[in-house]
Amino acid sequence: MAANTTAIPLTNPCIQTKQWIYLIKRIELTMNKGIPADSEEGRLIAEDLHLSELIFEGNKELEEKFWEVRKSETYSSSASLYPVKAELLAFLDEAIASLNETECNS
């Protein structure tokens, strides 16, 4: 995992890694309960993605490039990223879209 900390500007990799692990676990638990991504729970998970803003320090271009790598099983593996199921990433995408839609309609 040390290789990732040089490629991505992490301010505190241990804490941020734990936060991502907890977020992934919350998504898995939510999915296992059959709760849809466009639910209030899904939107709350999407709001927790402020973690990305902290990691990338507001660099949206770098954040978007990372997510493209993360969504690709091949690129994600070659970057030595922790494996995340495609279903989990799809849930997250849908939750983010739902959050954005809700915010636009408020």
Side-chain angles (χ1 to χ4, degrees):
M1 187 131 209
N4 289 342
T5 58
T6 58
I8 299 170
L10 298 177
T11 53
N12 190 335
C14 290
I15 291 171
Q16 291 169 341
T17 299
K18 280 185 178 181
Q19 289 174 326
W20 273 112
I21 291 169
Y22 296 150
L23 181 63
I24 289 168
K25 187 64 179 169
R26 276 184 57 211
I27 295 169
E28 288 173 341
L29 290 170
T30 301
M31 290 172 60
N32 288 343
K33 291 178 182 177
I35 299 171
D38 62 351
S39 67
E40 183 177 2
E41 180 72 20
R43 289 188 294 275
L44 288 172
I45 288 170
E47 286 181 359
D48 283 344
L49 282 180
H50 72 277
L51 182 57
S52 285
E53 294 170 13
L54 295 173
I55 291 172
F56 298 105
E57 299 175 345
N59 186 334
K60 288 290 184 188
E61 184 179 344
L62 181 59
E63 183 179 349
E64 288 172 15
K65 286 180 181 179
F66 175 80
W67 277 111
E68 289 307 312
V69 169
R70 177 39 104 184
K71 290 177 188 178
S72 164
E73 191 174 324
T74 303
Y75 292 136
S76 194
S77 176
S78 66
S80 300
L81 296 174
Y82 181 81
V84 177
K85 296 176 186 169
E87 300 85 22
L88 189 138
L89 294 172
F91 179 95
L92 196 49
D93 271 344
E94 190 176 331
I96 292 167
S98 177
L99 177 63
N100 290 339
E101 185 178 311
T102 301
E103 288 176 347
C104 287
N105 293 331
S106 296

